[in-house]
């Protein structure tokens, strides 16, 4: 459903948010290890997230990545997905056709539109803070 970059980006952002709530700034190496992602790929993803003002990148000896605590409650999952994958998840064809709409629908178009709408609602309504709370109590995990 999401690109591999988006999957890693969501996991990285959740980890950064979790650490930011504890008052910690985290390094690229730590993030990559904690989400089980290649460092070079993670660096590109983090750059994209910083460019889209989702995370903050601090340079220097005591640098790393963080998110302002008050922002963690305001960032939605849809913002993360849009920053990394754009809006194709909301507009793409369920069968991958280059063009699909109600006038010339693919065989799954009408059912897929409802799924896309439900997904958009869930992504819009889910905050970064919500996704971090399960980590704190051990109910959710970022790697296996």
């Amino acid at each position: 459903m999401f690109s591999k970059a988006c999957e890693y980006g969501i996991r990285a952002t959740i980890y950064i948010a979790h650490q930011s709530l504890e008052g910690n700034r985290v390094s690229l190496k730590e993030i990559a290890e904690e989400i089980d992602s290649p460092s070079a790929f993670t660096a590109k993803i983090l750059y994209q997230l910083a460019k889209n003002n989702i995370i903050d990148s601090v340079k220097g000896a005591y640098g790393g990545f963080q998110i302002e605590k008050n922002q963690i409650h305001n960032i939605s999952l849809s913002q993360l997905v849009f920053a990394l994958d754009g809006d194709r998840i909301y507009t793409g064809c369920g069968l991958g056709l280059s063009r699909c709409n109600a006038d010339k629908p693919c065989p799954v178009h009408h059912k897929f539109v409802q799924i896309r709408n439900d997904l958009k609602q869930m992504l819009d309504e889910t905050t970064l803070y919500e996704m971090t709370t399960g980590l704190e109590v051990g109910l959710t995990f970022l790697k296996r």
Side-chain angles (χ1 to χ4, degrees):
M1 175 182 329
F2 301 122
S3 70
K4 188 55 82 175
C6 191
E7 291 172 2
Y8 285 141
I10 292 169
R11 291 181 0 216
T13 306
I14 293 169
Y15 181 73
I16 295 166
H18 176 69
Q19 291 301 311
S20 294
L21 288 171
E22 300 290 322
N24 301 323
R25 192 176 291 149
V26 290
S27 69
L28 167 62
K29 181 180 177 188
E30 181 181 345
I31 295 165
E33 287 174 3
E34 289 296 322
I35 67 167
D36 202 19
S37 170
S39 289
F41 192 39
T42 304
K44 290 178 184 179
I45 295 165
L46 295 176
Y47 171 79
Q48 192 67 25
L49 290 168
K51 182 178 165 188
N52 282 278
N53 299 312
I54 304 288
I55 63 173
D56 297 321
S57 174
V58 180
K59 296 186 187 299
Y62 299 101
F65 298 91
Q66 66 184 27
I67 302 171
E68 295 295 324
K69 287 182 183 181
N70 60 341
Q71 287 300 96
I72 294 171
H73 292 275
N74 299 325
I75 297 171
S76 67
L77 187 50
S78 63
Q79 289 173 275
L80 296 174
V81 171
F82 186 77
L84 296 165
D85 278 354
D87 67 351
R88 71 179 175 84
I89 196 165
Y90 309 125
T91 60
C93 172
L95 296 180
L97 300 177
S98 60
R99 293 192 308 177
C100 179
N101 58 43
D103 294 332
K104 288 194 165 194
C106 74
V108 298
H109 178 78
H110 298 293
K111 291 185 181 206
F112 195 69
V113 167
Q114 184 58 51
I115 292 168
R116 282 192 324 220
N117 292 340
D118 291 346
L119 178 63
K120 182 168 182 1
Q121 182 177 353
M122 184 275 294
L123 294 175
D124 285 342
E125 293 175 356
T126 303
T127 67
L128 184 54
Y129 180 76
E130 286 177 67
M131 293 185 290
T132 63
T133 57
L135 291 177
E136 292 178 31
V137 294
L139 294 176
T140 58
F141 305 90
L142 293 175
K143 72 176 182 178
R144 298 255 177 245

